[in-house]
Amino acid sequence: MTFQRARSAEQREERRRTILDTALAMLGEMPVAEVSLNELSRRVGLAKSNVLRYFESREAVLLELLEQALRSWLAEVADELAAGVDPDRPARDRGDRFAAAVARSLARRTVLCDLISTQAGVLEHNVSVEVVVRHKRSALASLDVMVELLRRHVPEVGDEAKPVCMLAMIMAGGLWTHARPSASALAAYEADPVVAELRLDMAASLEHGLATLIAGAVAGHRRITLTN
């Protein structure tokens, strides 16, 4: 693919969209760690210096893809929660169902999980303060959407809704790396049944962790309400 010089705002936006779409396609083939600016430039059909006119670094491209992926996932999981959480059930049951739906939905989105797992340690490096501020504002907006979903289905969490959701996403990033062990780790699990219990399933582990967080938040909010 080759391009003429972008001269209008529409052409520049089309160029940005092409770069993002190409990077997203690459993430379908390889992990974040293997996505290079050189290969992205080659696939887009632009010199690396021209790609850098639209995004200041590889990490800036991937951060924008993370923001888009989060918004898309939240729209999807909202429908799953509406269908899967019975408002007439007790708070504990609703919390468990909320956790199950979120965990299953997120685990299916492998690209999103890979991006979340590298956000703080990789993607927020090699970018300007302006890019990080924009990304953080987008992340806060997505967090607010998730918080509203939790409050809608389990209002008993009270003011703990935001901390629960924030910890859930941090937990998802950490679990993703542990749920994708190296070849040596896989061989170790096969060789020694004792250490095999350390092997994690992403969806099951996240469901358990999030359900525990929600149950704790509900219990804490109930104690505060009774005290007051």
Side-chain angles (χ1 to χ4, degrees), residues 35-114:
V35 175
S36 70
L37 192 57
N38 285 335
E39 179 61 13
L40 175 59
S41 302
R42 187 191 69 78
R43 294 194 185 197
V44 172
L46 289 172
K48 184 164 70 172
S49 59
N50 286 334
V51 171
L52 293 174
R53 291 180 179 177
Y54 297 91
F55 296 93
E56 63 184 43
S57 64
R58 176 193 82 113
E59 289 74 16
V61 176
L62 296 174
L63 280 176
E64 189 155 336
L65 287 178
L66 170 56
E67 294 158 16
Q68 294 177 6
L70 273 173
R71 290 192 293 268
S72 176
W73 169 66
L74 286 165
E76 175 187 272
V77 79
D79 293 335
E80 295 179 17
L81 289 167
V85 181
D86 185 346
D88 296 323
R89 299 293 298 168
R92 180 60 183 264
D93 181 79
R94 284 182 278 114
D96 289 348
R97 290 177 180 272
F98 182 96
V102 166
R104 288 195 300 265
S105 178
L106 191 55
R108 287 196 302 268
R109 290 184 170 246
T110 58
V111 170
L112 174 56
C113 288
D114 198 20

Side-chain angles (χ1 to χ4, degrees), residues 190-210:
E190 293 290 333
D192 189 344
V194 173
V195 300
E197 67 179 277
L198 295 175
R199 185 173 183 180
L200 298 177
D201 175 79
M202 168 72 179
S205 299
L206 182 57
E207 178 181 344
H208 175 74
L210 180 53

